[in-house]
């Protein structure tokens, strides 16, 4: 197996900056995923987030999940299950407006910690978008502006637990899909594995690594980069032992943001032959994605092309 790319962000500050930027570029072009270490988020905060997330699952969600499994008769399935995932989840929204105070069953301290963690991740996401701009030859701030819409980006977190599964060959923790949005920042369990990505028609494990943040690129980055960077199919394999924690934060365009390939990344011939990616309003893409998440992304792009004639595109101001 090729080595999964691990990027030490601290090296951007010294003489290894060029080599580190090259490694980020290679990861974006050839993997769609990379793992960050020395990313600036304290280990102490990450340990607190992990401890409180696992406590919350045991106290508030574990019994509910067991009841769901019993209701659906999942313990005894004999054939592959294709219409649900072996996961227990809840969602937090941070931007444009936080809903953390409205989520039931969360202790106040946990709410506070998750808000702090989200602020750090938001800052890291925006730093990463600018590193991508630099590698792509786009103006600093281009991707952030492209995501902005009228109210700023959408930013939220999916908190998941993947409990031990008696039939991991028949039920996936999470079925294969690409992510619809922009850039995804994952804090995953460092002991229980399960996340895999598809590379060269092979499923490759994303290695659990203590205090790392796994980054992957969503469909919107593929469109804006005109396919130079691609979103990649990934899945979670359920395990017979161990409960895997996954905290995935999605830095996505605002609902009314108009998404289209950056003009400097579109070859003239492509434009003339209509071979480039579509232009669309992000929330329209999300409506389509909701029903087609576990299918290939290419038909989604084609469907958006069919309706793009109605989309008004203004220039993206980066000043």
């Amino acid at each position: 197996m090729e080595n999964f790319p691990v990027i030490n962000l601290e090296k951007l500050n010294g003489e290894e900056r060029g080599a580190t930027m090259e490694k980020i570029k290679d990861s974006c072009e050839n993997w769609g995923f990379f793992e960050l270490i020395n990313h600036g988020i304290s280990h102490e905060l990450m340990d607190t987030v992990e401890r409180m997330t696992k406590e919350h699952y045991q106290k508030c969600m574990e019994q509910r999940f067991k009841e769901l499994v019993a209701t659906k008769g999942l313990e005894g399935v004999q054939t592959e299950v294709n219409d649900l995932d072996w996961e227990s989840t809840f969602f937090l929204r941070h931007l444009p407006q936080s809903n953390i105070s409205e989520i039931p069953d969360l202790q106040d301290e946990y709410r506070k910690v998750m808000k702090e963690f989200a602020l750090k991740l938001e800052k890291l996401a925006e730093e990463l978008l600018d590193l991508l701009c630099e590698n792509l030859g786009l103006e600093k701030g281009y991707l952030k502006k492209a995501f902005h819409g009228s109210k700023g980006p959408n930013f939220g977190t999916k908190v998941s637990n993947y409990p031990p599964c008696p039939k991991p060959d028949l039920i996936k923790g999470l079925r294969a899909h690409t992510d619809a949005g922009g850039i995804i920042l994952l804090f995953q369990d460092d002991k229980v594995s399960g996340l895999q990505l598809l590379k060269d028609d092979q499923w490759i494990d994303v290695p659990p690594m203590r205090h790392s943040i796994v980054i992957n690129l969503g469909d919107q980055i593929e469109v804006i980069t005109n396919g130079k960077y691609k979103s990649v199919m990934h899945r979670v394999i359920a395990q017979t032992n161990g409960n895997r924690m996954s905290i995935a934060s999605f830095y996505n365009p605002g609902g009314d943001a108009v998404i289209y390939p950056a003009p400097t990344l579109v070859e003239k011939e492509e434009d003339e032959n209509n071979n480039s990616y579509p232009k669309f309003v992000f929330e329209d893409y999300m409506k389509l994605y909701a029903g087609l998440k576990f299918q290939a992304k290419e038909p989604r792009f084609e469907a958006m092309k069919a309706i793009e004639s109605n989309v008004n595109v203004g220039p993206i101001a980066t000043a």
Side-chain angles (χ1 to χ4, degrees):
M1 177 193 135
E2 288 181 76
N3 286 336
F4 186 86
V6 177
I7 311 285
N8 182 348
L9 269 195
E10 271 185 352
K11 291 190 173 176
L12 288 173
N13 301 321
E15 57 198 30
E16 292 183 65
R17 179 181 172 85
T20 305
M21 289 299 287
E22 192 56 40
K23 198 169 182 185
I24 292 172
K25 181 171 181 276
D26 179 71
S27 305
C28 291
E29 287 178 351
N30 297 310
W31 289 80
F33 269 78
F34 51 94
E35 201 148 2
L36 289 183
I37 56 172
N38 295 323
H39 40 62
I41 301 176
S42 82
H43 292 179
E44 185 185 8
L45 176 60
M46 295 179 83
D47 289 343
T48 305
V49 166
E50 179 171 0
R51 176 177 57 78
M52 296 186 98
T53 298
K54 289 180 173 177
E55 284 171 2
H56 175 263
Y57 173 74
Q58 287 169 342
K59 188 174 156 217
C60 301
M61 301 188 74
E62 189 168 30
Q63 190 54 37
R64 250 180 268 165
F65 184 76
K66 285 177 177 170
E67 287 166 9
L68 175 75
V69 166
T71 306
K72 293 192 175 285
L74 295 176
E75 293 275 359
V77 295
Q78 302 297 321
T79 55
E80 189 167 2
V81 176
N82 289 316
D83 60 350
L84 57 83
D85 304 302
W86 188 270
E87 64 173 358
S88 169
T89 64
F90 65 95
F91 295 86
L92 302 173
R93 190 178 65 245
H94 313 300
L95 294 174
Q97 284 165 325
S98 172
N99 71 347
I100 290 184
S101 61
E102 299 155 29
I103 305 293
D105 303 330
L106 300 186
Q107 290 184 328
D108 286 346
E109 187 59 25
Y110 187 33
R111 290 182 211 271
K112 191 173 143 220
V113 162
M114 291 305 277
K115 267 192 172 173
E116 184 186 349
F117 189 46
L119 281 170
K120 304 276 188 203
L121 287 169
E122 180 191 341
K123 181 170 171 281
L124 179 58
E126 291 178 353
E127 281 173 26
L128 288 168
L129 288 176
D130 275 344
L131 294 175
L132 266 55
C133 284
E134 189 177 328
N135 272 336
L136 289 160
L138 297 171
E139 277 180 76
K140 186 175 182 180
Y142 183 93
L143 289 170
K144 186 180 172 186
K145 292 284 194 322
F147 280 23
H148 194 273
S150 64
K151 300 187 189 80
N154 282 304
F155 186 48
T157 297
K158 178 186 176 189
V159 181
S160 307
N161 281 273
Y162 296 93
C165 177
K167 301 278 179 75
D169 51 330
L170 298 178
I171 309 177
K172 295 282 181 294
L174 180 59
R175 289 160 286 167
H177 64 287
T178 66
D179 289 327
I183 191 165
I184 298 86
L185 304 93
L186 169 70
F187 174 25
Q188 67 166 347
D189 206 290
D190 66 324
K191 295 182 181 66
V192 183
S193 63
L195 178 62
Q196 297 182 327
L197 65 92
L198 191 63
K199 178 168 165 51
D200 304 326
D201 297 323
Q202 300 276 316
W203 286 106
I204 293 175
D205 290 324
V206 177
M209 190 184 295
R210 191 153 169 74
H211 297 136
S212 73
I213 300 280
V214 176
I215 305 299
N216 72 284
L217 307 178
D219 294 348
Q220 308 311 305
I221 294 286
E222 177 165 340
V223 172
I224 295 170
T225 66
N226 199 37
K228 288 194 167 40
Y229 297 167
K230 290 195 164 56
S231 59
V232 168
M233 290 288 273
H234 52 286
R235 67 184 186 183
V236 176
I237 297 297
Q239 308 287 355
T240 49
N241 297 311
N243 182 34
R244 176 178 177 268
M245 177 199 79
S246 160
I247 302 173
S249 296
F250 299 80
Y251 188 101
N252 291 347
D256 63 356
V258 178
I259 302 300
Y260 57 96
T264 57
L265 300 179
V266 180
E267 300 290 332
K268 193 160 179 260
E269 304 76 58
E270 275 184 310
D271 216 19
E272 285 168 358
N273 299 331
N274 199 24
N275 287 336
S276 65
Y277 283 76
K279 299 179 174 105
F280 52 82
V281 177
F282 179 62
E283 63 189 7
D284 291 342
Y285 187 84
M286 289 307 290
K287 285 174 196 160
L288 183 73
Y289 179 85
L292 302 172
K293 174 175 177 175
F294 299 108
Q295 297 178 29
K297 62 191 167 183
E298 289 78 10
R300 298 197 292 263
F301 292 150
E302 287 305 313
M304 295 319 290
K305 264 190 187 180
I307 58 169
E308 77 173 69
S309 53
N310 305 324
V311 178
N312 291 318
V313 178
I316 291 176
T318 52

